[in-house]
Amino acid sequence: MIISRKIQIRLNVFFITAAVLLIAVLSMYEMGYLDELLNILAKDNYIFYWMMLVGVFAEIVAGSMGMGYGVICTTTLLFLNIPPHIVSASIHSAESFTTAAGSLSHIKLKNVSKSLVKKLAVPAVIGAIIGAVSLTYLGEYYAKITKTLIAFYTLYLGIQILSNAFKNKQNRAMKKKTNLTRLGVIGGFIDSFAGGGWGPLVTGTLIKNAFTPRFAVGSSTVAKFILTLTAAITFFFTLGIQHWNIILGLLIGGIITAPFSAMLTAKLPVKKMFLVIGILVIVMSSITIYKSVFK
C-alpha cells in the first residue's frame, strides 16, 4: 500500500513534468526553434544525451539503494574530465528537482521527523555554503589537486558501497548517541564540495546508529533537498550557469526514472547492485586518480 502510494505520487510528478516538457517542445517547434535546439544539444560530442543516460542510471541506483545519485554522477563527470566545480554545480542544480520529488513522496507517506530534519538541515546548509564557496575557488585555481582529492573520496565511497554487499542485516535494540549538528555540517560540506556523499555518510550513519529506517531515510532526504537547493543557489551566484546541457541531461534522465524507482526497489537484487556499483565506482575513480597524477 505504501509503495503504491509512493509510486502514484512520483507518477503525478512525472506526468506534470512530461506535460510541461511536451508543451515547451511544441512551442519551440511552432516558433521554428526546434532545429536550433537540436543542434545545441548535439554540441560537445552529444554530452546532453550521455548525461541523460547517466541521470537514468544514477536514479535507478538511488531508487534501489536509497543513495548513490551524487556518487555515480560525480564519478562519471570526473571520468569525462569535467572540472570539479562544474561537476558539483551541475549535479546540485539537477538534483534540486529530483530531491524535491523524493521529499514530497516521503512527506506524503509520513516518513519525515520534523525535529530530525531541523537538526540536520540547519548545519547542512552552513556546510553546503562553505563547501560550494571553497570548491568555486579551488576548482578554478587548483583543479588538478581538487579533482584528485575528490576522486580519492569517491574511491573511498566505492569501497564503502562494495562492503555493503557483504554485510548482514542485524537487529539493533539501542539507538546510539549521534552528534547531528556535526553530522549535518560535515555531510553538507562533503556533498557540496565533492558533488555527492550525503546518502552514504548521513543516511548510512543514522541507520547504523539505530534510527528508525523510514524516518532516517525520509528526514535525511528532506534535509538533502534543502542543502542541495542551497548549494545550487550558491553555485549560481559564484559561477553563474555553466554547461546547462549537463544539468538538463541529468535532470531529464532522473525525472524520467524517478516515478518507477519504487517499483525497481522491489525487483532489483540490492546486494548485487551494491557489488556492481561499488566495483564500477572504484574502477572509474582509480582511472581518474591515475590520469590526474601520472598524466
Side-chain angles (χ1 to χ4, degrees):
M1 178 66 180
I2 290 179
I3 291 179
S4 63
R5 287 175 61 196
K6 191 172 184 178
I7 293 172
Q8 186 59 54
I9 292 169
R10 293 191 175 190
L11 283 173
N12 290 339
V13 174
F14 170 75
F15 287 126
I16 292 171
T17 305
V20 171
L21 288 173
L22 181 61
I23 292 171
V25 170
L26 290 175
S27 298
M28 295 193 75
Y29 176 77
E30 288 294 328
M31 293 186 290
Y33 292 133
L34 189 58
D35 289 338
E36 184 178 345
L37 174 64
L38 293 175
N39 289 331
I40 293 174
L41 295 180
K43 287 184 176 181
D44 299 325
N45 296 316
Y46 298 94
I47 195 170
F48 165 78
Y49 300 102
W50 288 110
M51 289 304 101
M52 274 187 62
L53 290 176
V54 172
V56 168
F57 181 56
E59 185 60 37
I60 289 173
V61 172
S64 61
M65 301 195 305
M67 61 185 72
Y69 183 93
V71 177
I72 292 294
C73 292
T74 300
T75 306
T76 305
L77 290 173
L78 286 177
F79 183 77
L80 295 174
N81 291 319
I82 306 297
H85 55 297
I86 301 300
V87 169
S88 188
S90 300
I91 291 171
H92 283 92
S93 297
E95 212 174 4
S96 296
F97 297 90
T98 56
T99 54
S103 297
L104 180 62
S105 297
H106 284 295
I107 291 170
K108 292 286 185 181
L109 296 172
K110 302 186 187 320
N111 291 339
V112 178
S113 165
K114 291 182 180 179
S115 61
L116 183 55
V117 170
K118 288 179 183 177
K119 290 175 182 177
L120 286 173
V122 174
V125 164
I126 297 171
I129 293 172
I130 296 172
V133 172
S134 300
L135 182 62
T136 298
Y137 175 75
L138 293 173
E140 289 280 0
Y141 298 102
Y142 305 102
K144 186 174 180 179
I145 297 173
T146 306
K147 181 179 178 180
T148 306
L149 290 174
I150 295 174
F152 270 111
Y153 176 65
T154 56
L155 176 64
Y156 163 75
L157 291 179
I159 295 171
Q160 290 290 100
I161 292 170
L162 185 62
S163 68
N164 286 331
F166 304 100
K167 286 182 180 177
N168 294 318
K169 291 183 179 179
Q170 298 177 348
N171 293 323
R172 300 176 180 87
M174 294 181 61
K175 181 186 293 186
K176 296 181 182 178
K177 186 176 181 181
T178 307
N179 189 324
L180 296 175
T181 300
R182 183 173 61 191
L183 183 63
V185 170
I186 295 173
F189 175 83
I190 288 177
D191 194 271
S192 181
F193 187 86
W198 174 269
L201 176 63
V202 178
T203 309
T205 298
L206 293 176
I207 293 174
K208 183 181 70 175
N209 289 356
F211 280 77
T212 305
R214 59 183 282 241
F215 289 119
V217 174
S219 304
S220 178
T221 299
V222 175
K224 163 74 172 175
F225 162 67
I226 296 170
L227 87 86
T228 299
L229 187 61
T230 301
I233 292 172
T234 305
F235 280 123
F236 174 77
F237 282 109
T238 55
L239 294 173
I241 297 179
Q242 299 184 39
H243 292 273
W244 65 267
N245 46 356
I246 295 176
I247 298 171
L248 192 60
L250 292 174
L251 174 59
I252 293 177
I255 288 176
I256 288 171
T257 314
F260 310 104
S261 61
M263 291 181 279
L264 290 170
T265 303
K267 301 288 185 182
L268 293 173
V270 176
K271 281 197 172 185
K272 290 182 179 178
M273 285 287 290
F274 276 127
L275 189 64
V276 172
I277 301 307
I279 292 173
L280 182 63
V281 170
I282 289 170
V283 170
M284 293 178 70
S285 297
S286 299
I287 293 173
T288 300
I289 292 169
Y290 174 79
K291 289 163 64 176
S292 299
V293 174
F294 297 104
K295 291 188 177 182

